[in-house]
Amino acid sequence: MLRKIILSVLGIAFLVGAFIYANYLIDNKHKPKPVVPKVVKTVIVDTVKNGIVPVVISANGNLSSKQRVELYSEVQGIFKAGSKLFKPGQKFTKGETLIRLDASEYYASVQSAKSELYNSVAAIMPDLRLDFTEVYPKWQAYLNGFDLNKTTPKLPEISGEKENYFITGRGIVSAYYNVKNLEQRLTKYRIAAPFTGILTEALVTEGTLIRSGQKLGEFINPSVYEMEVAISKSYADILKEGESVSLTSLDKTKAYQGIVSRVNGSIDATTQTITVYIEVKHEDLKEGMYLEANLNAEKIENAIEIDRNLLLDSQEIYVVNDSLLDVITVKPAHFSDETVVLKEVPNGTIILKKPVPGAYAGMHVKGVKTNVSTNDTIQ
């Protein structure tokens, strides 16, 4: 009996509890839902101010000396040691001997030919004294000034027809030019520096036999360099000689200033590019150094320059209107690796300065301006 009473009490208590919990749920169902706070993202913006934007073309290339000489031998002989070693890195001043070959045998033949010329002139002197008294003094002066150890002097000027026949008939003119030819070839046994520079390649050493036509090395002027770059043909009529060019090293740690020295007159049929040569001078530059160049090609009026990541694929950019993001259509005028030049963006338009992840039209934002200008326009 007691068990039944206990079960009955527990049953009644469960029903009462269920009734109370049901009423609690019904009462809470009508309470208002908590309001989710509106998230307003802070973005960096700036106001559009159109101006003149210079178009800068980026290119790169290797430096090569503007003055370069490949040394070749025109004669054969033994390479004689000089005051300086013929080694890469050796500096020579203008006119200093780079290479000297042993020319003792050839020098003897030159002296022999000069002696024969002297004897030929001396042999006609008695006839000149008798038959050509008026020209005898100048030929006598020629003989007196003839020195076998010096360069053969020029023959006296022949003034008359009879004198010409007489001198030519004795073989003096042909002997003279034969000597001059030998003397000219004798000078090729010594190669002098055409300018002050440095030896960058040496293919022979002292004491070796050098043959005619053999390459000996390379000699450059290390004070002036040129860089050859290929530019799109669309800038062929814009780039001009004398334009200033900014050059930087690959690590962006050093900057140099150069000028456009030459512009090729023809366009490469394969790549449709035009070759531009940039001249640069600096003591830190070396042959073969790789640099990046920025050439000022043209100036676009009524335009702005922004980060390329701000331009959408649909040729639109985000603007801020009443704390909401919106998009407007723009007209790109020039693309570079990092920026884009835009036209037809109204003055006073508030645009994003930096990309916003997850941005969309209608997004609530709070614009913040920075001290850095949005574009690099020139006013």
Side-chain angles (χ1 to χ4, degrees), residues 26-77:
I26 293 172
D27 292 339
N28 287 337
K29 183 178 180 181
H30 300 289
K31 289 184 178 180
K33 294 182 179 180
V35 179
V36 179
K38 184 186 298 184
V39 177
V40 179
K41 196 160 190 176
T42 302
V43 296
I44 301 177
V45 298
D46 205 347
T47 305
V48 172
K49 189 175 182 181
N50 287 285
I52 300 176
V53 180
V55 173
V56 179
I57 307 171
S58 297
N60 49 62
N62 295 91
L63 291 180
S64 61
S65 178
K66 189 174 183 179
Q67 287 183 297
R68 170 189 294 275
V69 176
E70 291 188 348
L71 305 174
Y72 285 89
S73 175
E74 298 183 59
V75 294
Q76 180 173 307

Side-chain angles (χ1 to χ4, degrees), residues 280-297:
V280 58
K281 301 178 182 179
H282 200 279
E283 58 184 7
D284 294 340
L285 299 176
K286 300 294 182 183
E287 176 90 353
M289 197 172 180
Y290 190 86
L291 296 179
E292 294 183 354
N294 295 316
L295 296 87
N296 295 322

Side-chain angles (χ1 to χ4, degrees), residues 55-61 227 229-232 235 246 252 291-297 334-338:
V55 173
V56 179
I57 307 171
S58 297
N60 49 62
M227 186 172 74
V229 296
I231 304 299
S232 174
Y235 301 108
S246 298
K252 306 294 184 183
L291 296 179
E292 294 183 354
N294 295 316
L295 296 87
N296 295 322
H334 174 74
F335 288 92
S336 66
D337 293 338
E338 299 179 353

Side-chain angles (χ1 to χ4, degrees), residues 311-317 329-330:
L311 181 65
L312 305 178
D313 294 337
S314 56
Q315 306 296 305
E316 295 175 325
I317 61 172
T329 303
V330 293

Side-chain angles (χ1 to χ4, degrees), residues 89-110:
Q90 185 65 59
K91 296 180 180 180
F92 293 88
T93 58
K94 183 177 181 180
E96 193 173 2
T97 300
L98 294 173
I99 292 179
R100 186 186 297 276
L101 305 182
D102 184 7
S104 55
E105 182 179 351
Y106 192 81
Y107 177 77
S109 64
V110 174

Side-chain angles (χ1 to χ4, degrees), residues 73 75-79 101-102 204-212 214 216:
S73 175
V75 294
Q76 180 173 307
I78 301 297
F79 185 3
L101 305 182
D102 184 7
V204 294
T205 56
E206 290 82 352
T208 58
L209 174 63
I210 295 177
R211 294 176 173 82
S212 178
Q214 180 179 350
L216 309 177

